[in-house]
Amino acid sequence: MELLLNKLKGRLSDAQVSTNQTVRELHSKDETYQQTSLPDIVVFPKSTEDVSHIMKVAQEFKTPVTPFGVGSSLEGHVIPYQNGITVDFSLMNKIIEIKESDMLVTVQPGVTREQLNKELKNYGLFFSVDPGANATLGGMAATNASGTTTVKYGVMRDQVRDMEVVLADGKVIHTGSSAAKSASGYHLNGLFVGSEGTLGCFTELTLQVYGIPEHIAAARATFPSFTQAIDAVTTIKQAGIPIARVEFVDEESIIQINKFSETDYPVQPTLFLEFHGNEAGLQADIDFTKEIMKDHECEDFVFETDTAARNHLWDARHNLAYAYIHDHVGKKMMLTDVAVPISELANAVTFARGELDKLGVPGGLLGHVGDGNFHALIMIDMENAEEVQKAKEFNKKVVLYALERGGTCTGEHGVGVGKKQYQQLEHGPALDVMRQIKKALDPNNILNPNKIVEIE
Amino acid sequence: MELLLNKLKGRLSDAQVSTNQTVRELHSKDETYQQTSLPDIVVFPKSTEDVSHIMKVAQEFKTPVTPFGVGSSLEGHVIPYQNGITVDFSLMNKIIEIKESDMLVTVQPGVTREQLNKELKNYGLFFSVDPGANATLGGMAATNASGTTTVKYGVMRDQVRDMEVVLADGKVIHTGSSAAKSASGYHLNGLFVGSEGTLGCFTELTLQVYGIPEHIAAARATFPSFTQAIDAVTTIKQAGIPIARVEFVDEESIIQINKFSETDYPVQPTLFLEFHGNEAGLQADIDFTKEIMKDHECEDFVFETDTAARNHLWDARHNLAYAYIHDHVGKKMMLTDVAVPISELANAVTFARGELDKLGVPGGLLGHVGDGNFHALIMIDMENAEEVQKAKEFNKKVVLYALERGGTCTGEHGVGVGKKQYQQLEHGPALDVMRQIKKALDPNNILNPNKIVEIE
């Protein structure tokens, strides 16, 4: 350990290498119920060269390395179960370049999505991917994050043009180029995005950004039942309306929103919607959507006309997980995260609702239903072994239901440790291919070991 | 060879295994200038089990295997330079399932894009990716094909939800699921799409399809110079107009179109455009586009109002390569295929134009300029060694120009053998990562060997 520290300090300053207990504890957990585990050392690189040095030292000592953004992961991705070195990217938080005319931005991995959007606003641009947390862009790439706008703009993987990645042996590669499309070589962008720190550390990202739409309209629609709300979304999708956001929030979650965000939204199954486009086209989309809503017995379709009310709506939605956490002090959050084909969505939500009712713990349903992705968010008492066990069984039932219908165990939160047990079932022999790739690129299994795939 | 044939016939019928000279010759080339090479055997599998059997036999004999669609590749992808077995997928050409409500279709790899679209039309749906050739969907996935609609709907990789793939050892995997998004495991869809037969044989594809747009408007816009045309496209992109197609065609190519497709389009630098959407929104997009065109001194903006004229416009565009071939009997086609960031496009096209003028062989410029991707199409006399050499040097100059500006050597045609020489320069040390993946998944290097990456 002393030798390892000395080698690290061969390049890094004392301030960049910490074994302080508080610092280690801050890097021992994420935002969920997962078991914590301490890193031995936390390092704070300032450059690609720092990260390359760290990886070379780690390789020499065969020490596990866990990359860390802000710790907002939801399946234990950043928890270092084999201890070792945690690489905290908070000092690599510069926006390197905004190429307005190419709609591209190059950032360091520690830049957060809100930090980026604040800067982009000056250029009339925005970055589309918006998970609930103010996550780092490096972390969002590591988990292939998505959010409320994915239904129109796509997931994190769709935005990544190029990444600079430090490999297990300290070598530095680029995974793509600045071209809008390419058929050159294997698709390393796609492979590294979503690799959850198991294949390399991201040190620079070139991302696609968008012009702030000419017109934006946001609305809330309430329904007598959640199945009617979900059916309305399915119809909107099938009609090909290019909706920019369509979020489902159930009654329990509306209660949490009203408490935490000081709103007075009706306590009913609700859709939050947003439309982007030119004024005329948007109005036609809204008119068509209204008709569909009516067909599904929508009771109220309220537009948030001023910008402040619209922003408040989406802030409230983004803060929903924190609302639950805030209202249930001492409990821990668990989230299901399945995505199913859109034709299976109403049944899948009905199934989850039924199982949630049986469970008898605080929680609700919410999600990015336009992508067939929804969450059951539950708050559990980790001291109550029976409750924890039941919660895990609930999660499992929802996953198995989705997998049997051609879905996925995780639409956007990633595998980490929480969804590792379902990888074999979901991927079958393809999991061996993933394992072969992992072994080829990280033969000593030091990069976030045993996340996604277990290496014997 | 006798033993190998017998082993293949252990499962395949005599009609499925051919050593006929004519059949071998049909599988010795693609549509371009690349050197031909004969396979020893051509097999025609009818099922995944057949393909698995073929791979197991090939593995036992360490015989190279080259998957083959219709042979419309443009960089020699399907030419078996190490001979061995060519797997022709023409008997696996069934549309397995159309899941209307999920906008998904499952097909065998030998289904062609026109075959699929003909069937989808009955459901009010269409498949978006449209390379010039009536390629197979397996081949299009293998090369990550794209086309005129990519600017709106994305490349082949964006449409693939899942593939069934037979690996080098005959094992069968699925690369994805039917969910619209997923953060589960490494992104094998992305890795296998564009792998050009070097990582596995595709035996089934589940693809995203789209509703035929409510309204479609197509137009031709002519400009005094090609730089004004390109600048207009750059402005359209930067304005965020969701244009569905925007193709550049230069004067030489218009001449070819007029001859081959019996049109009388003005012989000027031209943009072919298409807009998809609801009527009101589309009209607003068109009005905005017209203003931009005017700013760039567009001389004529002609709408193709009836469906027949619109279809003829796009057929003419799709047949452009065949028009050149038809008009230059005895010559072979070479295409450059770079893509650059949109801000570099006008300069890149100017550079290519200048070099093309110096070259003095028949040819023209065309391309999917909304993606920053364009082609110089040239017809060369393969008997004239000096001309061939000069043509290759021209191709190289265009590639180097693009790479120096953050572009790619191939926007959509793929690497094959034609672009292999640029892989090291484009990808640098990332090429080693690709090589490690190839070695891990195909340790005996039997799958389309030495395409994309050379294995020592």
Side-chain angles (χ1 to χ4, degrees):
Chain A
M1 174 87 159
E2 209 50 47
L3 196 56
L4 174 61
L5 281 169
N6 282 338
K7 286 262 184 171
L8 286 170
K9 288 180 182 174
R11 179 179 170 93
L12 306 176
S13 71
D14 284 355
Q16 286 180 275
V17 183
S18 178
T19 52
N20 174 289
Q21 182 68 14
T22 312
V23 172
R24 290 168 63 209
E25 276 169 10
L26 281 170
H27 295 84
S28 69
K29 58 192 176 192
D30 69 1
E31 290 189 349
T32 67
Y33 70 102
Q34 300 294 347
Q35 180 76 41
T36 63
S37 176
L38 287 172
D40 299 314
I41 304 167
V42 182
V43 292
F44 299 86
K46 292 180 177 176
S47 66
T48 304
E49 292 70 26
D50 283 356
V51 178
S52 178
H53 172 73
I54 293 161
M55 285 313 307
K56 281 176 189 159
V57 173
Q59 194 61 253
E60 187 185 335
F61 286 80
K62 296 198 173 40
T63 304
V65 170
T66 307
F68 188 99
V70 294
S72 57
S73 71
L74 298 170
E75 295 291 359
H77 308 70
V78 297
I79 306 174
Y81 288 108
Q82 298 184 30
N83 319 107
I85 302 167
T86 283
V87 185
D88 181 312
F89 283 95
S90 56
L91 299 183
M92 290 180 71
N93 66 345
K94 276 170 212 65
I95 297 170
I96 297 168
E97 193 182 2
I98 296 177
K99 293 181 210 156
E100 244 183 301
S101 57
D102 287 318
M103 310 276 226
L104 291 177
V105 57
T106 300
V107 299
Q108 289 189 315
V111 171
T112 67
R113 65 174 185 86
E114 288 179 7
Q115 178 192 350
L116 178 61
N117 270 323
K118 202 174 155 190
E119 185 61 27
L120 286 175
K121 209 176 169 185
N122 300 326
Y123 298 81
L125 298 170
F126 78 104
F127 180 71
S128 62
V129 187
D130 65 334
N134 184 21
T136 64
L137 294 160
M140 286 166 65
T143 55
N144 189 28
S146 53
T148 67
T149 63
T150 294
V151 67
K152 184 176 173 78
Y153 298 91
V155 298
M156 193 68 189
R157 187 174 282 123
D158 299 315
Q159 320 308 328
V160 173
R161 285 276 179 90
D162 183 29
M163 294 201 293
E164 183 184 75
V165 178
V166 177
L167 300 174
D169 59 4
K171 280 209 195 83
V172 181
I173 64 163
H174 275 261
T175 56
S177 75
S178 294
K181 68 178 199 187
S182 177
S184 182
Y186 299 148
H187 190 47
L188 297 188
N189 273 340
L191 180 65
F192 280 88
V193 173
S195 64
E196 302 187 359
T198 66
L199 299 180
C201 290
F202 309 158
T203 47
E204 205 176 286
L205 301 95
T206 296
L207 305 167
Q208 191 174 332
V209 296
Y210 301 88
I212 293 172
E214 198 184 327
H215 286 272
I216 300 177
R220 280 180 292 115
T222 51
F223 293 82
S225 75
F226 72 88
T227 47
Q228 283 156 315
I230 302 289
D231 284 341
V233 175
T234 309
T235 311
I236 290 169
K237 279 296 291 177
Q238 286 164 354
I241 298 171
I243 200 155
R245 287 167 150 167
V246 55
E247 294 286 307
F248 170 69
V249 187
D250 75 353
E251 299 97 310
E252 288 72 12
S253 301
I254 291 285
I255 293 171
Q256 294 294 338
I257 283 179
N258 283 343
K259 264 199 216 176
F260 188 80
S261 297
E262 299 179 348
T263 47
D264 56 355
Y265 300 155
V267 179
Q268 269 186 279
T270 304
L271 296 177
F272 290 0
L273 305 105
E274 196 164 273
F275 302 84
H276 295 175
N278 67 51
E279 198 168 5
L282 194 142
Q283 194 52 54
D285 288 339
I286 289 173
D287 292 344
F288 193 4
T289 304
K290 272 184 181 166
E291 275 179 46
I292 292 171
M293 294 296 182
K294 212 180 285 173
D295 290 347
H296 291 90
E297 290 168 43
C298 169
E299 293 180 339
D300 208 6
F301 194 58
V302 185
F303 277 88
E304 302 292 3
T305 39
D306 70 301
T307 311
R310 196 181 74 222
N311 288 342
H312 196 60
L313 177 79
W314 294 113
D315 284 345
R317 171 63 190 87
H318 280 123
N319 289 326
L320 184 45
Y322 299 119
Y324 273 102
I325 292 169
H326 189 261
D327 202 36
H328 298 92
V329 178
K331 296 200 176 211
K332 289 284 186 183
M333 178 171 64
M334 181 192 277
L335 285 145
T336 70
D337 177 37
V338 298
V340 293
I342 195 92
S343 65
E344 301 284 353
L345 184 62
N347 285 338
V349 174
T350 304
F351 176 80
R353 176 80 261 172
E355 293 298 322
L356 184 56
D357 289 343
K358 282 191 241 166
L359 193 61
V361 303
L365 296 174
L366 53 137
H368 318 302
V369 281
D371 308 311
N373 178 214
F374 70 96
H375 312 298
L377 188 161
I378 55 178
M379 299 304 301
I380 48 181
D381 176 1
M382 296 303 288
E383 307 296 310
N384 182 339
E386 196 190 327
E387 187 170 305
V388 174
Q389 187 51 33
K390 275 188 178 169
K392 286 184 178 174
E393 279 163 22
F394 163 72
N395 202 331
K396 187 172 189 167
K397 277 182 201 165
V398 175
V399 168
L400 297 185
Y401 185 98
L403 292 185
E404 277 161 20
R405 282 149 189 89
T408 177
C409 70
T410 170
E412 56 177 13
H413 296 166
V415 178
V417 288
K419 294 287 154 52
K420 210 169 64 178
Q421 60 182 307
Y422 307 116
Q423 293 300 289
Q424 184 64 50
L425 191 62
E426 178 164 347
H427 300 296
L431 194 62
D432 289 330
V433 172
M434 298 181 199
R435 197 174 280 119
Q436 284 168 304
I437 292 169
K438 167 71 173 172
K439 280 182 175 173
L441 301 189
D442 180 18
N444 291 319
N445 193 23
I446 64 168
L447 276 163
N448 209 1
N450 299 330
K451 303 282 166 62
I452 301 184
V453 280
E454 201 83 39
I455 303 292
E456 295 79 23
Chain B
M1 174 87 160
E2 210 49 47
L3 195 57
L4 174 61
L5 280 169
N6 281 338
K7 286 263 181 168
L8 286 170
K9 288 180 182 174
R11 178 179 171 94
L12 306 176
S13 71
D14 284 354
Q16 286 180 274
V17 182
S18 177
T19 52
N20 174 291
Q21 182 68 13
T22 311
V23 172
R24 290 167 63 209
E25 276 168 13
L26 280 170
H27 295 85
S28 69
K29 58 192 176 195
D30 69 1
E31 290 189 348
T32 66
Y33 70 102
Q34 300 294 347
Q35 179 77 42
T36 63
S37 176
L38 288 171
D40 298 314
I41 305 168
V42 182
V43 293
F44 298 86
K46 292 181 178 174
S47 66
T48 304
E49 292 71 25
D50 283 356
V51 178
S52 178
H53 173 74
I54 294 160
M55 285 313 306
K56 281 176 189 158
V57 173
Q59 193 62 253
E60 188 185 335
F61 287 80
K62 296 198 175 36
T63 304
V65 170
T66 308
F68 188 99
V70 294
S72 57
S73 72
L74 297 171
E75 294 291 359
H77 307 70
V78 297
I79 305 175
Y81 288 107
Q82 299 184 29
N83 319 107
I85 303 168
T86 282
V87 185
D88 181 313
F89 283 96
S90 56
L91 300 183
M92 291 180 72
N93 66 345
K94 278 170 212 64
I95 296 170
I96 298 169
E97 192 183 3
I98 296 176
K99 293 181 211 158
E100 244 183 302
S101 57
D102 286 317
M103 311 276 226
L104 291 177
V105 57
T106 300
V107 299
Q108 289 189 316
V111 171
T112 67
R113 66 175 185 86
E114 287 179 8
Q115 178 192 349
L116 177 61
N117 269 324
K118 202 175 157 189
E119 185 61 27
L120 286 175
K121 209 175 171 184
N122 301 325
Y123 298 81
L125 299 170
F126 78 105
F127 180 70
S128 62
V129 187
D130 65 334
N134 185 20
T136 64
L137 293 161
M140 287 166 64
T143 54
N144 190 29
S146 52
T148 68
T149 63
T150 294
V151 66
K152 184 176 174 78
Y153 297 93
V155 298
M156 192 69 188
R157 186 175 283 124
D158 299 316
Q159 321 307 329
V160 173
R161 285 276 178 89
D162 183 28
M163 294 200 294
E164 184 184 74
V165 178
V166 177
L167 300 174
D169 59 4
K171 281 210 194 81
V172 181
I173 64 162
H174 274 261
T175 56
S177 75
S178 294
K181 68 178 198 186
S182 176
S184 183
Y186 299 148
H187 190 47
L188 297 187
N189 273 340
L191 180 65
F192 280 87
V193 173
S195 64
E196 302 187 359
T198 65
L199 300 180
C201 291
F202 309 158
T203 48
E204 206 177 284
L205 301 95
T206 296
L207 305 167
Q208 191 175 333
V209 296
Y210 300 89
I212 293 173
E214 198 186 327
H215 287 271
I216 300 177
R220 280 179 293 113
T222 51
F223 292 82
S225 75
F226 72 86
T227 46
Q228 282 157 316
I230 303 288
D231 285 339
V233 176
T234 309
T235 312
I236 290 169
K237 281 294 292 177
Q238 287 164 355
I241 297 171
I243 201 155
R245 288 167 150 167
V246 55
E247 294 285 308
F248 170 69
V249 188
D250 75 352
E251 299 98 310
E252 287 71 12
S253 301
I254 291 284
I255 293 171
Q256 294 294 339
I257 282 179
N258 284 343
K259 265 199 216 175
F260 188 81
S261 297
E262 298 178 351
T263 47
D264 56 356
Y265 300 154
V267 180
Q268 269 186 279
T270 303
L271 296 177
F272 291 0
L273 304 105
E274 196 165 271
F275 302 84
H276 296 174
N278 67 51
E279 198 168 6
L282 193 141
Q283 195 52 54
D285 288 340
I286 290 172
D287 292 344
F288 194 3
T289 305
K290 272 185 180 166
E291 274 178 49
I292 292 170
M293 296 295 183
K294 213 180 285 173
D295 290 347
H296 292 91
E297 291 169 41
C298 169
E299 294 180 337
D300 208 7
F301 193 58
V302 185
F303 277 88
E304 302 292 4
T305 39
D306 70 300
T307 311
R310 196 181 74 221
N311 289 343
H312 195 60
L313 176 79
W314 294 114
D315 285 346
R317 171 61 190 88
H318 280 123
N319 289 327
L320 184 45
Y322 300 119
Y324 273 102
I325 292 169
H326 189 261
D327 202 36
H328 297 91
V329 177
K331 297 199 176 214
K332 290 283 186 181
M333 177 171 64
M334 181 192 277
L335 285 145
T336 70
D337 177 38
V338 297
V340 293
I342 196 92
S343 65
E344 302 283 352
L345 184 62
N347 285 338
V349 175
T350 305
F351 176 80
R353 176 79 262 171
E355 293 298 322
L356 184 56
D357 289 343
K358 282 191 243 167
L359 194 60
V361 303
L365 296 175
L366 53 136
H368 318 302
V369 280
D371 308 311
N373 178 213
F374 70 96
H375 312 298
L377 187 161
I378 55 177
M379 299 304 300
I380 47 181
D381 175 2
M382 296 304 288
E383 307 297 310
N384 182 338
E386 196 191 327
E387 187 169 304
V388 174
Q389 187 52 33
K390 275 188 179 170
K392 287 183 179 173
E393 279 163 21
F394 163 72
N395 202 331
K396 186 172 191 171
K397 278 182 201 165
V398 175
V399 168
L400 296 186
Y401 185 96
L403 292 184
E404 277 162 20
R405 282 148 189 89
T408 177
C409 69
T410 170
E412 57 178 12
H413 297 166
V415 177
V417 287
K419 294 286 155 52
K420 210 170 64 177
Q421 60 182 308
Y422 307 115
Q423 293 299 290
Q424 184 64 49
L425 191 62
E426 178 164 346
H427 300 296
L431 194 63
D432 289 330
V433 172
M434 298 181 198
R435 196 173 280 119
Q436 283 168 305
I437 292 169
K438 167 70 174 173
K439 281 182 175 173
L441 301 189
D442 180 19
N444 291 320
N445 194 23
I446 64 168
L447 276 162
N448 210 0
N450 299 330
K451 303 281 165 63
I452 301 184
V453 279
E454 201 82 37
I455 303 292
E456 296 78 24

